């Protein structure tokens, strides 16, 4: 490839890869850490073993929060999809007064700092008896996931060719048939992707969980926070490494889904 | 009684009059092109016939039924979209079966119809493929097969060839004519390509600024355009403006030259009138008796292969002349030549 | 085509949910800020007059501004390189940035506790270089600054990349053909065209940073609190719901001001594009 003036300079390349290294290195360090034999945070580790993995997989103290996080993540992403999908259709497909204002309103849960929501839920759920319950965390996580689902669904809805629905109509399909046979199958990857994003958003959420999840329904991030903050428990490295593996896996799936959603154009 | 009948159909989008008083009758089995530049109202008209837009005024009658308020899925129309709009998640066969499936036709009938439609467009071996595995031309044929497979009462084609390259486009034109002859379905074809409209259609509907300017057979629209726009949009043309002389078939140019025509002029209130001459009707050399002749200053000579196009001017008006390749014509750039034509070869059009 | 389901019905679930689960708790916090322990503005009076609070605000703004500048300084070269380089390298770098959105900020914060800890690589390198005693980084504002930059950098990079990648390379070729140097074509063509993205990225990072809680709490100095930690502290340590709510409302007001600026300059609904 000829290096035209539009190609980046060498200095730019060096700087860019350094920054990329800065982004990536801390994530890579976690993995050997999780196999370390030391009893606290230390890098590079002196000896390697699988002991911390054994501890993680045999300790109810860690497995219960993991299970809780999965339960909350699945339930809240399902709830968010249910609530936000019709709105995504309305905002992208319909013209109505105040559309822009509504779009902004639907995005605000993402932009308001979690600490504000955390103390707000803490006091409201306290008086409703929802603190330290699954219901409470699921409700809160669904709320802050609405913008995530909305953004993911909007991208797909905009990419969906309106002529396909017109073609279905002219072929004789009723609006219901058109939705069931054309729109829905074409949006299936988008639903999965949006649900995935919402799940990750809930699975990673720490601040609100710290305040409202309590000990009974403690989520994984809350348990990790406590570990890093108070105990310097090396099992955190195991959990972190597992979460990185899951993230890489999830991203691979998401990339595949995105490729399927955008077939090669003729 | 006509198969499709538009009566004074109008469509307004806010302040924009997209279609104004369109009236059109299409006979069963006819191939009619809606021709015009973009924004001329041809696509809006098609969308109203398909049912994706509702007319602001007027009525649309299809196969003896008032349809302007009928939803598109109940109109029994087949349509090929500009980008084909094949369902990307369905196989070719499933795409073609879709209209029959949503109509709840029996399985055997559907399968037979899919086989027939695929055979019609010559893509039998592609049945199990997905649309994205096909070339542009093949996708085009599938779109056509899908629109014909359920034997609708009307076929709409919305600039279906515009995405194809030139060679493929010509091939598809031949294909379209063959299929139309074979199936005999009433067809409306939207295009902005006048050559395409000329090749394919039984009749052409010329749209301009939301209005239908002329409806006629291709050769008729070419030889006898009703309006200045139709004259300019279809084919190459030279238009000479002047004033009516005492005789109704005499035009006086601003420089005093008098031209004769076989038809009475369209004269407006101020006495202005215009004549259209097609480039192939000009001849060079000594004019015979009774012919119109003009001195033309040749500005450029374009070699178009089988013939030359001379672009010149007379008294500030552009003159376009098509002539066989000859040394004299090739050398004429920059000089002034005499061009002549027979009075019967000039057609009166309304003045500007 | 006539729509099947009325628009208001499509919007109802989301709007109702937001009103009940988003608006109502926020409203309650506002109510508490003016009624706990008694009706009046005394909570706001305290937090606006006490110099202790003022120091926290100032520190929060300084930290957020530093993080924003660091993100811009690191993010621009990376985004620019990705946009101009294209191809596999850009895809790879884009993947690295994208991966960060899938990895919990808690995991990334944890990584920094290891790296900056007194048995981590930074200390080891300092010792090896003969710096004794090695610098203490963990539980300092520097530590939270580094970690927050790391966490927010991908947002900046992606915001910049989207716009930089859309700049037609022919514009740069044109600038060159007209006699501009590499640097001139960057400052005269690319930089001005990417300015909206710079503004958008900076505001986004600043807004996220001002409200950051977990990372400063885990990495920062307990003495150098930021506003989020202060809010949490009022509740956890002092059980003072009134002043915590008032602080939260102050923070919310500040965020709303920033969002209004963002909306004027960029348009919040553009986030959906």
């Amino acid at each position: 490839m000829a290096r035209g003036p539009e190609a980046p300079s060498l200095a730019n390349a060096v700087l860019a890869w350094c920054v990329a290294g800065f982004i990536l290195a801390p994530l890579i360090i976690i993995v050997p850490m999780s196999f370390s034999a030391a009893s606290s945070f230390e890098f590079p580790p002196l000896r390697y073993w699988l002991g911390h993995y054994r501890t993680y997989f045999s300790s109810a103290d860690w497995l219960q929060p993991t299970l809780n996080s999965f339960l909350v993540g699945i339930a809240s992403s399902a709830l968010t999809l249910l609530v936000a999908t019709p709105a995504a259709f309305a905002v992208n497909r319909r013209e109505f007064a105040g559309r822009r204002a509504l779009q902004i309103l639907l995005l605000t849960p993402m932009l308001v700092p979690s600490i504000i929501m955390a103390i707000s839920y803490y006091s409201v759920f306290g008086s409703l008896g929802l603190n330290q319950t699954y219901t409470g965390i699921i409700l809160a996580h669904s709320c802050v996931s609405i913008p995530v689902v909305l953004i993911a669904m909007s991208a797909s809805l905009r990419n969906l060719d309106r002529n396909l629905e017109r073609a279905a109509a002219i072929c004789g399909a009723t609006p219901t048939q058109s939705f069931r046979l054309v729109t829905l199958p074409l949006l299936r990857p988008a639903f999965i992707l949006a649900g995935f994003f919402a799940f990750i958003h809930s699975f990673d959420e720490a601040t609100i969980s710290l305040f409202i999840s309590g000990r009974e329904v403690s989520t994984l991030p809350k348990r990790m926070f406590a570990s890093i903050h108070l105990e310097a428990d090396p099992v955190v490295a195991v959990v972190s490494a597992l979460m990185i593996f899951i993230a890489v896996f999830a991203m691979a799936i998401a990339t595949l889904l995105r490729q399927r959603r955008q077939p090669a154009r003729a | 009684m006509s198969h499709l009948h538009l009566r004074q159909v109008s469509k307004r989008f806010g302040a924009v009059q997209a279609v104004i008083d369109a009236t059109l009758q299409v006979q069963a089995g006819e191939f009619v092109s809606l021709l015009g530049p973009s924004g001329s109202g041809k696509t809006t008209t098609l969308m109203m016939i398909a049912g994706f837009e509702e007319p602001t005024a007027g009525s649309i009658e299809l196969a003896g039924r008032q349809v302007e308020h009928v939803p598109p899925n109940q109109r029994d129309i087949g349509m090929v979209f500009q980008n084909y709009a094949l369902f990307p998640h369905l196989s070719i066969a499933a795409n073609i079966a879709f209209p029959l499936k949503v109509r709840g036709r029996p399985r055997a009938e559907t399968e037979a119809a899919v086989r027939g439609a695929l055979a019609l467009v010559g893509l039998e071996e592609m049945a199990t493929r997905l649309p994205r595995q096909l070339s542009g031309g093949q996708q085009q044929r599938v779109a056509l097969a899908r629109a014909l497979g359920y034997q609708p009462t009307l076929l709409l084609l919305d600039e279906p060839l515009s995405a194809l390259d030139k060679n493929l486009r010509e091939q598809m034109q031949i294909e379209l004519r063959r299929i139309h002859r074979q199936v005999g379905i009433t067809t409306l074809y939207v295009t902005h390509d006048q050559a395409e409209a000329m090749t394919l259609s039984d009749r052409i509907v010329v749209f301009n600024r939301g209005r239908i300017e002329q409806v006629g057979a291709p050769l008729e629209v070419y030889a006898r355009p009703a309006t200045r726009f139709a004259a300019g949009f279809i084919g190459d043309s030279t238009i000479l403006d002047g004033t009516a002389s005492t005789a109704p078939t005499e035009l006086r140019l601003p420089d005093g030259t008098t031209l004769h025509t076989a038809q009475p002029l369209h004269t407006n209130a101020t006495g202005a009138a215009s004549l259209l001459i097609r480039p192939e009707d000009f001849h060079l050399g000594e004019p015979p008796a009774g012919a119109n002749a003009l001195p033309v200053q040749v500005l450029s000579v374009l070699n178009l292969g089988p013939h030359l196009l001379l672009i010149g001017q007379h008294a500030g008006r552009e003159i376009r002349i098509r002539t066989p390749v000859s040394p004299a014509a090739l050398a004429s750039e920059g000089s002034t030549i005499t061009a002549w034509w027979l009075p019967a070869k000039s057609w009166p059009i309304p003045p500007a | 085509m006539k729509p099947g389901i009325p628009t208001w019905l499509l919007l109802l679930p989301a709007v109702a949910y937001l009103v009940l689960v988003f608006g109502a708790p926020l409203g309650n916090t506002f109510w508490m800020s003016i009624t706990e322990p008694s009706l009046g503005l005394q909570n706001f009076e305290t937090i606006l007059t006490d110099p202790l609070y003022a120091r926290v605000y100032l520190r929060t703004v300084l930290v957020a501004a530093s993080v924003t500048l660091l993100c811009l300084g690191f993010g621009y070269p990376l985004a620019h390189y990705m946009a101009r380089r294209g191809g596999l390298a850009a895809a790879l770098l884009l993947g690295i940035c994208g991966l960060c959105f899938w990895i919990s900020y808690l995991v990334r914060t944890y990584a920094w506790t290891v790296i900056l800890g007194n048995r981590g690589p930074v200390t080891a390198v300092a010792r090896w270089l003969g710096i004794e005693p090695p610098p203490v980084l963990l539980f300092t504002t520097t530590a939270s600054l580094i970690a927050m930059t790391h966490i927010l950098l991908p947002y900046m990079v992606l915001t910049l990349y989207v716009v930089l990648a859309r700049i037609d390379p022919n514009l740069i070729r044109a600038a060159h053909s007209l006699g501009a140097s590499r640097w001139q074509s960057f400052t005269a063509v690319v930089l001005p065209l990417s300015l909206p993205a710079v503004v958008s990225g900076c505001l986004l990072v600043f807004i996220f940073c001002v409200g950051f809680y977990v990372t400063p709490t885990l990495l920062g100095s307990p003495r150098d609190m930021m506003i989020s930690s202060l809010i949490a502290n009022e509740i956890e340590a002092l059980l003072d719901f009134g002043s915590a709510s008032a602080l939260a409302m102050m923070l919310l007001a500040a965020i709303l001001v920033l969002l209004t600026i963002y909306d004027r300059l960029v348009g919040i609904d553009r986030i959906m594009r």
Side-chain angles (χ1 to χ4, degrees), chain A residues 160-175 177-178 180-186 259-266, chain B residues 47 50 52-53 72-74 77-79 81-83 85-90 98-103 132 134-136 139 146 150 156:
Chain A
L160 189 70
D161 180 6
R162 297 297 304 262
N163 268 354
L164 291 174
E165 283 159 326
R166 287 180 163 170
I170 205 81
C171 283
T174 62
Q177 282 175 321
S178 164
R180 190 168 52 83
L181 298 172
V182 177
T183 317
L184 211 53
L186 288 173
Q259 269 164 1
R260 263 187 52 191
R261 199 180 59 195
Q262 294 165 342
R265 274 160 217 251
Chain B
M47 287 297 164
F52 298 126
E53 302 287 355
N73 59 314
Q74 288 162 30
I77 290 175
M79 181 161 175
F81 292 80
Q82 194 168 1
N83 62 352
L86 297 177
F87 304 124
H89 60 300
L90 299 179
F98 186 92
L100 296 124
K101 194 176 151 195
V102 295
R103 283 172 169 77
R132 63 167 165 272
L134 268 56
S135 70
Q139 291 187 19
R146 182 178 69 183
Y150 52 107
L156 304 179

Side-chain angles (χ1 to χ4, degrees), chain B residues 92-216:
Chain B
I92 299 311
N95 259 285
I96 299 171
F98 186 92
L100 296 124
K101 194 176 151 195
V102 295
R103 283 172 169 77
R105 299 272 174 82
R107 205 189 160 93
E109 184 195 329
T110 302
E111 278 171 14
V114 169
R115 267 197 305 279
L118 277 170
L120 185 69
V121 297
L123 287 174
E124 292 97 327
E125 70 278 18
M126 299 290 177
T128 57
R129 302 260 185 106
L130 285 174
R132 63 167 165 272
Q133 296 169 308
L134 268 56
S135 70
Q138 289 170 327
Q139 291 187 19
Q140 169 73 73
R141 287 162 203 242
V142 175
L144 197 57
R146 182 178 69 183
L148 291 171
Y150 52 107
Q151 295 171 331
T153 181
L154 177 69
L155 177 64
L156 304 179
L157 303 160
D158 183 13
E159 308 218 17
L161 305 184
S162 60
L164 304 177
D165 62 43
K166 191 169 173 292
N167 285 337
L168 206 52
R169 204 154 58 216
E170 277 167 13
Q171 212 177 308
M172 280 307 298
Q173 286 177 13
I174 298 167
E175 188 82 2
L176 268 175
R177 283 179 59 141
R178 174 184 68 76
I179 290 170
H180 179 250
R181 260 202 302 275
Q182 197 171 332
V183 180
I185 185 172
T186 316
T187 304
L188 279 189
Y189 187 94
V190 163
T191 182
H192 63 264
D193 182 335
Q194 43 109 359
E196 207 166 274
M198 301 280 285
T199 323
L200 289 170
S201 334
D202 297 322
R203 284 193 300 153
I204 293 177
V205 182
V206 182
F207 276 82
N208 184 36
R209 296 186 189 183
R211 289 182 195 277
I212 293 179
E213 298 230 329
Q214 188 172 11
V215 181

Side-chain angles (χ1 to χ4, degrees), chain C residues 184-219:
Chain C
Q184 280 172 324
S185 71
F186 173 74
T187 52
V189 178
V190 177
L191 197 60
L193 285 173
S194 66
L195 223 49
V198 170
V199 173
S200 161
C202 284
L203 275 167
L204 212 58
V205 167
F206 192 86
I207 288 168
F208 283 146
C209 198
V210 162
F212 229 125
Y213 171 67
V214 166
T215 306
T217 308
L218 288 178
L219 290 175

Side-chain angles (χ1 to χ4, degrees), chain A residues 1 3-9 12-13 15-17 19-20 22-27 29-30 33 40-44 79 82-84 86-87 89-92 94-96 99-100 102-117 119-125 138-140 142-143 146 150-151 154-155 158 162 165-166 169 175 193 196-197 200 204-207 210-211 220-222 224-225 228-229 233-234 236-237 239-241 243-244 247-248 250-251 254 258, chain C residues 1-11 13-15 17-18 21-22 24-26 28-29 32 73-78 80-82 84-85 89 92-115 118-121 124 146 149-150 153-154 157 169-170 172-173 176 182 185 204 207-208 210-215 217-218 228-229 231-232 235-236 239 241 244-245 248-249 251-252 255-256 259 263 267-273:
Chain A
M1 192 173 68
R3 281 175 46 84
E6 73 286 356
S9 67
N12 192 173
L15 203 52
W17 285 106
V19 174
F22 170 69
I23 293 177
L24 201 56
L27 307 178
I29 276 177
I30 300 277
M33 279 292 299
S40 66
F41 307 158
E42 182 178 287
F43 187 89
L79 182 56
L82 223 57
V83 168
F89 270 88
V91 162
N92 287 288
R94 305 281 173 85
E95 287 295 331
F96 54 91
R99 205 183 105 208
R100 206 182 103 85
L102 197 94
Q103 238 169 319
I104 292 173
L105 176 75
L106 290 169
L107 289 174
T108 39
M110 190 176 75
L111 300 163
V112 171
S114 323
I115 187 70
I116 297 177
M117 294 322 294
I119 69 156
S120 298
Y121 288 133
Y122 185 60
S123 41
V124 168
F125 287 179
I138 291 167
L139 283 176
S142 282
C143 180
I146 285 177
L150 197 69
I151 291 172
S154 295
R158 272 197 312 277
R162 297 297 304 262
E165 283 159 326
R166 287 180 163 170
L193 197 66
F196 233 57
F197 277 128
I200 291 287
D204 288 351
E205 203 292 321
T207 313
L210 273 177
F211 277 79
L220 195 54
K222 182 186 161 84
M224 288 171 72
F225 184 92
I228 302 168
H229 202 29
D233 182 349
V236 182
V239 181
S240 299
M243 282 172 94
I244 290 171
V248 172
M251 203 170 105
R258 217 174 273 144
Chain C
M1 248 187 307
K2 286 271 165 292
I5 306 167
T7 305
W8 67 265
L9 196 59
L10 290 175
L11 293 170
V15 171
Y17 197 90
L18 277 189
V21 190
F22 182 67
L26 279 178
N28 179 62
T29 303
M32 293 203 347
F74 289 151
Y76 201 103
L78 179 55
H80 182 263
Y81 177 73
M82 278 156 51
R84 294 278 77 86
R85 178 71 171 73
L92 183 68
L93 291 169
L94 204 58
I96 290 174
C97 290
L99 184 66
C100 293
F101 288 101
W102 294 95
I103 295 177
S104 169
Y105 53 90
L106 205 53
V107 170
R108 287 183 274 164
T109 304
Y110 164 67
W112 286 105
T113 64
V114 176
I115 294 169
N118 56 9
R119 282 195 276 179
I146 295 173
T149 304
H150 180 245
L153 190 52
V157 173
N170 277 339
I172 303 162
R173 294 192 189 109
H176 268 259
R182 233 171 219 289
S185 71
L204 212 58
I207 288 168
F208 283 146
V210 162
F212 229 125
Y213 171 67
V214 166
T215 306
T217 308
L218 288 178
S228 304
S229 308
I231 294 173
I235 287 203
E236 288 178 322
L239 287 172
F241 279 84
S245 301
M249 284 301 116
L251 176 58
L252 185 62
I255 296 286
L256 288 181
L259 285 178
D263 193 39
I268 291 180
D269 50 335
R270 288 275 295 275
I271 295 178
M272 285 175 67
R273 307 269 113 121

